Amino acid sequence: MSAPAPALRILAAVAGGAMLVGRPRGVVHVYSGALTRSGRAVPAAARPVCGVRTRRLRVLVTPETRDRLVGHATVTPAGDLAGRNRRFCRTCVAVLPARLGGGSGALVTRDDWVAAYSDLTVVDFGLATAWARTVEETHQLSTVLSQVHGPKPARPAKYRTPAEEELVAAYDAVNVRRRHLTVAAMTDDERAAVQAVRDTEMFNRRLTERQRRKAIAVENAQERARSGGYITPRDRELLGA
């Protein structure tokens, strides 16, 4: 598997104690360290992980409040943070390791990946899915979700536990996000080609259904004719055909 997706590293950083901080407008930074006495801002001398010097950064998300984003995360990476859609700082994302405090060790084996992300909840994966920016990221999220929480439950919905329902919803969210990103990456010609295929499939399904209904109607007309029943004009038309 390739390097951890940005959304996965950011979620892992927050789960590991980091915070998402930013100005009232602008990008969202990742910060790990002490806060001001109020707990609402980053000290003036402190810097986010990218090291940028900026005016006072306010705390947007803490490890304890990250779940509040679920259901509000939009297609922009930072989701609905502080009521405004905005993006993550690219430098913060670029310098984040697979796991804060986990050293620079690369994730090679399955055990490495599980050890790095075993404490991410199913809800966390749902949020990471909303932050995914490429189709490749969604494939990675599906794989890590399976490694940490198991494969998608196959039991019918009426037999699932609440935990299984939550896991199914997480897998479904990844699939929906993947389809959205796939379509977004297409050219106009590619979208037109896909739509043409869908239109053809829809036409064929409708044609097949009309033929099926006509065959049933012919069979019923033949049965009425054999039994001496009343033959309607429509029946005669079908029998003549």
Side-chain angles (χ1 to χ4, degrees):
M1 201 156 36
S2 58
L8 195 56
R9 284 182 278 132
I10 292 166
L11 251 299
V14 174
M19 289 156 279
L20 302 183
V21 299
R23 299 283 302 153
R25 294 181 178 83
V27 299
V28 175
H29 297 276
V30 180
Y31 171 74
S32 181
L35 299 175
T36 58
R37 184 176 300 177
S38 68
R40 299 177 181 176
V42 175
R47 299 286 178 265
V49 297
C50 65
V52 68
R53 292 181 177 274
T54 182
R55 288 182 293 173
R56 182 63 60 86
L57 295 170
R58 300 290 178 180
V59 175
L60 303 176
V61 177
T62 67
E64 294 73 29
T65 62
R66 71 184 187 272
D67 286 359
R68 297 179 188 175
L69 289 177
V70 177
H72 300 285
T74 67
V75 294
T76 53
D80 187 7
L81 294 172
R84 295 180 177 86
N85 292 330
R86 42 185 161 174
R87 299 180 180 276
F88 286 122
C89 167
R90 292 182 180 179
T91 307
C92 281
V93 173
V95 301
L96 273 179
R99 185 77 194 206
L100 282 183
S104 58
L107 305 184
V108 179
T109 68
R110 180 184 184 280
D111 289 342
D112 292 337
W113 286 85
V114 173
Y117 301 120
S118 60
D119 63 336
L120 294 183
T121 67
V122 173
V123 172
D124 284 333
F125 278 96
L127 184 54
T129 295
W131 291 351
R133 301 293 290 172
T134 66
V135 173
E136 290 72 22
E137 283 188 73
T138 63
H139 284 295
Q140 185 185 101
L141 288 171
S142 291
T143 300
V144 180
L145 176 62
S146 177
Q147 291 172 340
V148 174
H149 292 286
K152 182 177 180 178
R155 292 199 294 178
K158 63 181 180 180
Y159 299 118
R160 294 177 195 150
T161 66
E164 288 175 331
E165 286 287 357
E166 187 177 56
L167 187 55
V168 167
Y171 276 104
D172 290 346
V174 174
N175 291 332
V176 169
R177 183 67 175 147
R178 183 178 300 127
R179 288 195 295 270
H180 172 84
L181 292 171
T182 299
V183 172
M186 288 180 177
T187 64
D188 290 342
D189 288 344
E190 288 172 334
R191 291 192 189 94
V194 170
Q195 187 60 50
V197 170
R198 289 175 178 171
D199 291 344
T200 300
E201 290 175 348
M202 179 62 71
F203 173 81
N204 289 336
R205 283 197 295 270
R206 290 174 177 171
L207 180 61
T208 300
E209 179 61 18
R210 285 199 297 269
Q211 292 172 337
R212 185 187 69 83
R213 291 180 179 178
K214 183 176 180 179
I216 293 174
V218 169
E219 184 178 345
N220 290 338
Q222 291 172 337
E223 179 61 29
R224 283 191 290 272
R226 286 193 296 268
S227 63
Y230 174 69
I231 304 299
T232 67
R234 174 59 177 164
D235 288 340
R236 286 193 292 271
E237 180 181 340
L238 290 172
L239 293 172

